[in-house]
Amino acid sequence: ASYGPNPICKGCLSCSKDNGCIRCQHKLFFFLRREGMRQYGECLHSCPSGYYGLRTPDMNRCSRCRIENCDSCFSRDFCTRCKTGFYSHRGRCFKGCPPGFAALEELMECVEDCEVGQWSEWGTCSRNNKTCGFKWGLETRTRQIVKKPAKDTILCPTIAESRRCKMAMRHCPGGRRPTKTKDKKKKKKNLMERAQKQHSIFLATDKTSQ
């Protein structure tokens, strides 16, 4: 093919001075570029953003992606890379990932999220592995991971949580009371004995002075 002095005819089998390429060489894609009211053909090795290469027996063409916010597509209805700020998911582009999927920021893709089951019932209120002997304790509930996330970088929700609870039995039947209770009673007894002793000394002193 003779391309002539016009650089727009590069890669063409046939070319028009006004409309550019009309037919392209075998391995190149025909792309119809529009600029305002004017349009002209180009022969390219790869299609520009928003288009994909469609090979046909007649001539390879650049066809527009039909997916909204798509930057590069495999076919007109399957996007392989979305525009900046959008996540790719099953050939479509989303501003945020659908429920059940997590955003993989480094690839701007939506992958399967971590799925957890329902919470169990709250467990027995206990403290230091005892269900008596204290006024307050903790009760715990758990849930299982039903499906692990597609990537290890995606964290699963909390699978165990605890809350403060009131013991059903404060004193253990037939058991000893906690050390703190003993100490309090002993301290109180000592104070009473000291007070009585001081009172006796006061009475004795008062009688002597009389």
Side-chain angles (χ1 to χ4, degrees):
S2 176
Y3 308 132
N6 195 342
I8 201 173
C9 292
K10 186 178 181 181
C12 300
L13 286 177
S14 58
C15 184
S16 165
K17 183 179 179 181
D18 296 323
N19 298 321
C21 291
I22 299 171
R23 288 184 62 83
C24 296
Q25 293 183 30
H26 178 64
K27 292 184 179 181
L28 302 182
F29 293 96
F30 176 78
F31 175 61
L32 191 61
R33 185 180 296 278
R34 290 180 172 83
E35 291 184 359
M37 297 297 293
R38 184 172 177 267
Q39 64 180 22
Y40 57 90
E42 286 183 310
C43 294
L44 307 172
H45 287 281
S46 60
C47 296
S49 174
Y51 290 81
Y52 70 99
L54 180 64
R55 296 187 182 275
T56 63
D58 180 43
M59 185 169 64
N60 301 328
R61 297 176 180 273
C62 288
S63 185
R64 185 184 292 275
C65 303
R66 289 189 179 183
I67 306 300
E68 191 176 358
N69 300 311
C70 182
D71 188 56
S72 178
C73 56
F74 173 74
S75 65
R76 66 180 183 179
D77 294 320
F78 195 95
C79 187
T80 54
R81 186 177 69 247
C82 298
K83 291 181 180 178
T84 303
F86 291 87
Y87 296 95
S88 174
H89 176 61
R90 294 179 179 175
R92 298 288 188 273
C93 298
F94 297 87
K95 195 67 178 174
C97 292
F101 292 86
L104 203 61
E105 298 294 339
E106 58 267 31
L107 298 177
M108 292 302 288
E109 293 179 355
C110 295
V111 296
E112 288 186 348
D113 202 357
C114 181
E115 186 178 337
V116 293
Q118 297 293 321
W119 285 109
S120 66
E121 296 295 326
W122 288 101
T124 306
C125 188
S126 64
R127 182 173 173 180
N128 298 337
N129 296 323
K130 294 181 179 180
T131 56
C132 61
F134 301 94
K135 184 178 181 180
W136 296 99
L138 289 175
E139 57 185 3
T140 304
R141 66 177 183 176
T142 60
R143 56 184 176 182
Q144 301 296 319
I145 296 176
V146 178
K147 183 172 65 178
K148 291 184 177 180
K151 298 288 182 179
D152 293 336
T153 53
I154 298 172
L155 300 177
C156 286
T158 303
I159 58 172
E161 61 180 17
S162 299
R163 68 181 182 183
R164 193 167 181 250
C165 57
K166 195 171 184 179
M167 292 281 202
M169 295 177 63
R170 185 170 182 180
H171 302 297
C172 297
R176 295 180 179 180
R177 295 184 178 182
T179 307
K180 284 187 177 180
T181 307
K182 279 187 172 184
D183 291 344
K184 284 182 178 178
K185 286 198 169 186
K186 190 175 181 180
K187 194 173 182 180
K188 188 176 180 181
K189 185 180 179 182
N190 290 338
L191 287 172
M192 289 291 293
E193 289 177 353
R194 192 182 302 169
Q196 288 175 358
K197 189 175 181 180
Q198 288 178 352
H199 183 65
S200 299
I201 293 170
F202 174 77
L203 290 176
T205 306
D206 185 59
K207 187 178 289 185
T208 304
S209 62
Q210 289 177 358

